[in-house]
Each structure stands twice: as structure tokens, then as C-alpha cells.
Amino acid sequence: MAKPFSFKVLATDGRARRGIIDMPRGEIRTPAFMPVGTGGTVKTMYMDQVRGVGADIILGNTYHLMLRPGAERVARLGGLHEFARWPHPILTDSGGFQVMSLSKLRKLTEKGVTFRSHIDGAPYEMSPERSIEIQSLLDSDIQMQLDECTALPAELKEIERAMELSLRWAERCKTAFGDQPGKAMFGIVQGGDNAALRVRSAQALSAMGLKGYAVGGLAVGEPQAVMLEMLDITCPELPADKPRYLMGVGTPDDILKSVARGIDMFDCVMPTRAGRHGLAYTRRGKVNLRNARHADDPRPLDEESDCPAARDYSRAYLHHLVRSQEALGAMLLTWNNLSYYQKLMQDIRAAIETQTFEARGAEITEGWARGDI
Ligand SMILES: CNc1nc2cc3nc[nH]c(=O)c3cc2[nH]1
């Protein structure tokens, strides 16, 4: 019998929580940052490196994998962990968000979404049941419900319609998921920027007794203040003994402020995407290696880092690689960025354990403000 899914809060500091999720494929130290592994790969990284920077779990995109190479094919080849050689936990999103942001000719009804692939125009339909089936074929450890994320700003009645549809789809996903020992299906709170709808969504999902809860419908272009206000409203309505996952977030500053409001899990393409565009995250803020000011700078990004990409290469060399569009440029900067994000999470976890989260957060923020010397 597989070890059941469990979440324990080990320490709190204000509303911030230090916890641990225990699953058959390993433990997830929270607050956790999940590197995005869109098509079964964390772009430009070997999985050993992803593990090496301290990631306990990665995110896989159902939409991309169902289109190519196909969920049934991945299942025939032993599942996503085997396919991508990542033996630790994987969370897959449901695909709904990517359908609405990437696919063509999409139509959404009570049944689900129909759409055409952005790759070859082939027609697909995705119901809540099919989304869970695909995530199970991928052998995903944490599966997300199919939902409808409303783009903001939106009319109140539109936000309400999508929130209520997402609740009905949560019930259908819970039924379709059934009882997969050692795995979890998370619900997703919707409700846009409306407090009453957020509360209704969170309370209805909490009543379903799910293993974890995501806060969706945010990081869709709204100001940070609106996102944080929605967390202030939503988190208190979710069970304190279950993980809370803020989807698609975010910058290091977003993460600090969201942990302070009770969020335990994050995913964001920023560190990986920025790495491919010549941007480095460091404890002194962001450094754009495309900038000519780095052309003769012999210093590494951060001499104190334990990541070779940050410690062993000059800015001049990184600038050269980025300007010449050498693959190694994207590789080293992605490595640096993921290492920085994991170090940030490690500092956050340690600060909560020692009840120094607020002070540590202020120190980290000052480091960014000091800017890159
Ligand atoms: C990058 N921002 C962002 N990525 C998201 C992914 C999501 N998936 C499912 N449901 C969501 O509401 C949702 C919201 C999101 N915001």
C-alpha cells in the first residue's frame, strides 16, 4: 500500500507556514518553488541539476504533453517520471489555462473545452474527466482540477459564472480522480478580484475535503496589491492543515509577500524564461547580461553562491554568450536563476522555523534595493 499523501505544518511565523508534504516519491519542503517543466523538461537543464539546486518537485503542463508526445504514449513508456528521468514528485496543471492562452478556436461549455492544437490545428476536447485521465496517464503525483480562469478585468457576472462552473468541475474531477493512494487532486479557488466570490469558492471547495487547494485566477496581469488582497481574503477560508498553492507566481517579491499571507507552494516560468533572455536573478536584484556595461566585468554574478553558474563565470563571459546567442548562455543563466529561487525558498523556510521571517524578508528586500554594484 503506497504511503498516503500527508501535509504537516512544522512551524508558523504570523500567517507564514513552514511545512512538509510527504508523498511516495519523496518529501516536499514548504514553502516550495516548483520549476516549470513544460514539455517534460525544465528548459536547458538536466534533471540532476534541477535536483541539485534543491527542487523537491517540478510542474508538468498537461496541455503541452497531451498534444505532444501524447498522454497514452507517455503512459506506454512508463509515465512522465520514467520518460523525463525525474523520480521525485511532479505536479501537473489541468491544461485549462494553457487551452485558453495558447490553443485556437476554443469553445467552452458545461461539458468541457473543445479546441484546436496550436501545433498542428488538430481538434481536441478536454472535459474534467479527460483532464484527470490524462494526468493519471502521466502518473502525476499532484493533479489539478480543470477550471476556468477568468482574465482580469472582467464583469462580475462573468467572474461568477466561471467560478461556479469551476466548482461543478471540481466535483467532477474529484469523482474522476477517485481514490489514488499516495496521490492528490487539488481544487482551484476562483472568483477574480471579488471578495464575496472568492469566499464562496474557497468555502465550497473546503467542504469537498480535498488534499490541497490552489488559488487560481491571479497573476493574470492584475496589480500585485490586488493579488495580495485576494490572498488576505482567500487563505483564511481554506483549511489550515492543507497545502495552499498560488498558481503562476511569481517574482521573488511576490513570493515573500505571498508566503507572509499563508501560501505554501509556487510555480512560475520567470526564472527559466528570464534565463533564456539573458536576465539573472541575484541577491542584489536583477542583472541584464545583454547590457554592454558587463562586457569587461571579470566578476562573477555572486562570489558567495554555491551554484557554479553564479560563482565560476565572469559577467564578461556571460555577456559574450548572451550577445552571441550561445546555448551555454541560456543554460548558465537558467541554472543561476533556479539556484537563486531555491536559495530564496530555503532562506524563507529557515526564517519561519526561527520566527525571523519578517526581519529576514526585509533584509532580502534591502539586498535587491541596494542594486547590483
Ligand atoms: C502565470 N500566471 C498564472 N498561471 C496560471 C495557471 C493557472 N492554472 C489553472 N487555473 C488558474 O486559475 C491559473 C492561473 C494562473 N496564473
Side-chain angles (χ1 to χ4, degrees):
M1 162 70 174
K3 196 169 28 172
F5 173 98
S6 72
F7 175 60
K8 268 196 304 295
V9 177
L10 304 176
T12 59
D13 187 346
R15 288 183 283 164
R17 298 123 62 88
R18 161 68 166 104
I20 197 153
I21 297 173
D22 199 6
M23 305 191 79
R25 286 195 169 98
E27 294 183 341
I28 302 159
R29 296 162 291 181
T30 67
F33 180 81
M34 301 183 278
V36 173
T38 297
T41 153
V42 179
K43 293 183 180 357
T44 83
M45 295 281 284
Y46 290 109
M47 286 302 186
D48 288 348
Q49 278 177 298
V50 176
R51 185 63 175 164
V53 297
D56 290 338
I57 177 172
I58 62 171
L59 180 139
N61 283 121
T62 296
Y63 172 77
H64 295 81
L65 290 164
M66 70 183 276
L67 298 185
R68 187 174 52 185
E72 279 74 10
R73 171 169 287 130
V74 174
R76 285 198 303 273
L77 291 160
L80 187 53
H81 301 80
E82 194 54 38
F83 192 51
R85 311 299 295 153
W86 170 264
H88 314 290
I90 294 176
L91 179 147
T92 47
D93 68 5
S94 63
F97 185 80
Q98 278 73 28
V99 166
M100 301 317 274
S101 48
L102 289 173
S103 74
K104 302 194 289 286
L105 295 175
R106 55 210 175 240
K107 205 159 98 41
L108 188 142
T109 66
E110 182 71 32
K111 186 174 181 336
V113 284
T114 58
F115 60 96
R116 285 189 177 273
S117 160
H118 71 288
I119 298 169
D120 61 9
Y124 288 86
E125 66 177 54
M126 176 127 75
S127 63
E129 293 77 14
R130 177 62 180 155
S131 175
I132 294 297
E133 181 184 34
I134 290 170
Q135 296 178 69
S136 300
L137 283 167
L138 298 174
D139 198 15
S140 167
D141 302 287
I142 301 178
Q143 303 177 20
M144 300 309 294
Q145 73 154 94
L146 184 67
D147 62 337
E148 186 189 350
C149 170
T150 336
L152 290 178
E155 289 293 313
L156 186 59
K157 63 181 183 314
E158 187 51 22
I159 299 173
E160 183 171 31
R161 180 199 55 73
M163 183 276 280
E164 290 175 342
L165 175 66
S166 296
L167 286 179
R168 295 194 294 274
W169 283 2
E171 288 284 4
R172 287 170 54 184
C173 287
K174 182 182 177 187
T175 304
F177 180 81
D179 175 24
Q180 299 185 45
K183 294 188 175 172
M185 197 278 288
F186 282 15
I188 304 178
V189 178
Q190 290 295 344
D193 54 1
N194 180 274
L197 293 179
R198 284 277 168 189
V199 169
R200 267 179 51 201
S201 179
Q203 289 179 347
L205 286 171
S206 299
M208 292 180 203
L210 303 174
K211 292 209 173 78
Y213 297 89
V215 182
L218 296 172
V220 288
E222 77 285 356
Q224 186 195 57
V226 170
M227 180 180 83
L228 297 177
E229 188 192 345
M230 288 306 112
L231 298 185
D232 288 334
I233 287 156
T234 306
C235 289
E237 302 298 332
L238 294 172
D241 62 345
K242 300 287 174 61
R244 298 160 187 164
Y245 160 33
L246 179 54
M247 304 186 86
V249 174
T251 66
D253 185 57
D254 289 337
I255 289 174
L256 274 182
K257 292 185 165 86
S258 300
V259 167
R261 289 166 171 78
I263 297 294
D264 308 301
M265 297 166 73
F266 300 88
D267 89 270
C268 188
V269 295
M270 258 181 214
T272 39
R273 185 173 293 170
R276 298 195 303 280
H277 292 89
L279 196 71
Y281 283 90
T282 78
R283 59 195 162 84
R284 297 190 193 95
K286 288 185 287 193
V287 182
N288 182 346
L289 273 305
R290 293 196 58 78
N291 192 308
R293 74 185 179 94
H294 304 295
D296 296 295
D297 193 336
R299 296 172 307 150
L301 284 172
D302 184 347
E303 62 292 343
E304 291 174 21
S305 170
D306 61 8
C307 175
R311 190 195 52 215
D312 300 342
Y313 297 85
S314 69
R315 292 163 189 234
Y317 181 64
L318 293 168
H319 172 71
H320 161 65
L321 293 177
V322 169
R323 278 298 182 95
S324 345
Q325 297 185 307
E326 288 289 351
L328 186 60
M331 292 160 68
L332 290 174
L333 290 180
T334 300
W335 193 6
N336 168 76
N337 291 353
L338 286 178
S339 173
Y340 177 72
Y341 264 67
Q342 292 301 332
K343 177 70 170 56
L344 174 68
M345 304 318 292
Q346 192 184 327
D347 285 356
I348 287 172
R349 295 193 292 263
I352 297 169
E353 283 166 14
T354 53
Q355 314 286 303
T356 58
F357 176 66
E358 192 172 349
R360 184 75 186 108
E363 270 170 29
I364 290 169
T365 306
E366 271 156 41
W368 301 329
R370 243 198 322 275
D372 184 52
I373 32 163

